[in-house]
Amino acid sequence: MTETGALVLFSGGQDSATCLAWALDRFDQVETLGFAYGQRHRVELDCREGLRVGTAALDPRFAARLGPDHTLDLGVLGEVSETALTRDTAIAMGAEGLPNTFVPGRNLVFLTFAAALAYRRGLRHIVAGMCETDYSGYPDCRDDTIKALQVALNLGMDRRFVLETPLMFIDKAETWRMAERIGGAELVELIRTQSHSCYLGDRTQEHDWGHGCGTCPACELRAAGWRRYRGG
Ligand code: ZN
């Protein structure tokens, strides 16, 4: 087990791109993991390599630390859940007060597979971009959920994994500020242009905050965060 090794859950979105830079700034050995689960915004997976290469190019330290990329096929998630993230239906609010983009158990499954991979790769830290602050109410983004899962994974695998969630208590504007602190304006520009957030997978329209349809909840959240970040 490498005490200073980390596995980053790396989807290709703004949050995970920031988490990658955060991890490269901190750990000696950093590997990345992406999931294909039948998401409509599958285009986000295509953004991953450009972000990896671009981030490594910012700092020789980062380049030396960045290790292999892994992708796992979790298409079964799309089979068990009828949600607007994996089906061609309109994004709307459900009766439970959760948007129908919620894929039940998604982060639990992601982190469990991440831990299994980290076990095999001998990496101690698992870095993920879950956030309580503007998380659309997804219960598996809550800090309590992640802490409970850390206990369960360590008991179940007899390891001392640390689940790191550096964005848990900050909003999207502060996430941009974090990127700026770690990698300056160059990293902000890389994430703005290369990362993908739009649930509909639209990369044909460019806005000052990046690419996307501009109207889905993920685009609205990203646009609002960018405005607050630029505003001060
Ligand atoms: Zn969108």
Side-chain angles (χ1 to χ4, degrees), residues 197-202 209 212-220:
S197 300
C198 176
Y199 280 153
L200 302 183
D202 187 340
W209 45 266
C213 72
T215 54
C216 78
C219 282
E220 282 179 355

Side-chain angles (χ1 to χ4, degrees), residues 109-163:
V109 173
F110 282 3
L111 286 164
T112 302
F113 274 91
L117 180 65
Y119 186 103
R120 175 161 70 78
R121 303 291 302 165
L123 303 166
R124 180 159 191 230
H125 301 266
I126 297 166
V127 184
M130 290 85 187
C131 170
E132 260 195 20
T133 315
D134 47 15
Y135 69 141
S136 309
Y138 294 174
D140 56 349
C141 289
R142 287 183 294 204
D143 193 47
D144 284 353
T145 304
I146 305 299
K147 286 204 163 63
L149 191 60
Q150 175 173 301
V151 172
L153 291 171
N154 282 324
L155 284 171
M157 298 193 194
D158 198 19
R159 277 288 186 274
R160 296 292 295 163
F161 292 121
V162 184
L163 301 190

